[in-house]
Amino acid sequence: MKLSATRWTIVQAAQTGDEEAVRALCEKYWPPVVSYLSGRGLRADAEDVAQEALVALLQSALGKADRKAGRFRGLVFSIARNHLL
């Protein structure tokens, strides 16, 4: 699944607590994260682990996301990979 470029204005809005921006990020990254986890053997539990990863993103990593530090999707998938392990 190919992801479009991250709109950092949405990330920045989510960082300030904008619920619509948070929802937009979750809707964008949910399907690819589930697919990523499913492709690594988590067929039945992929959605549960994806939810845990997105919650972790929202609770701690989102506030530290910075476009100068790299791609946002890299952060998202690093968190998903860590939850997979």
Side-chain angles (χ1 to χ4, degrees):
M1 170 177 280
K2 184 168 167 77
L3 280 169
S4 60
T6 298
R7 291 183 45 208
W8 280 94
T9 55
I10 294 175
V11 174
Q12 291 167 336
Q15 288 172 324
T16 65
D18 182 314
E19 290 182 24
E20 286 298 316
V22 169
R23 186 174 297 115
L25 288 176
C26 290
E27 288 174 357
K28 177 178 182 166
Y29 288 100
W30 173 261
V33 168
V34 171
S35 177
Y36 170 82
L37 295 168
S38 294
R40 277 141 190 86
L42 275 185
R43 303 279 188 264
D45 296 325
E47 289 186 0
D48 290 338
V49 175
Q51 183 173 345
E52 292 172 12
L54 289 176
V55 167
L57 171 72
L58 297 174
Q59 288 180 338
S60 62
L62 179 63
K64 301 171 192 165
D66 182 355
R67 80 181 318 161
K68 295 175 192 159
R71 293 183 176 182
F72 186 74
R73 73 186 75 174
L75 174 63
V76 172
F77 286 103
S78 291
I79 292 169
R81 185 187 70 240
N82 288 342
H83 276 79
L84 173 64
L85 297 174

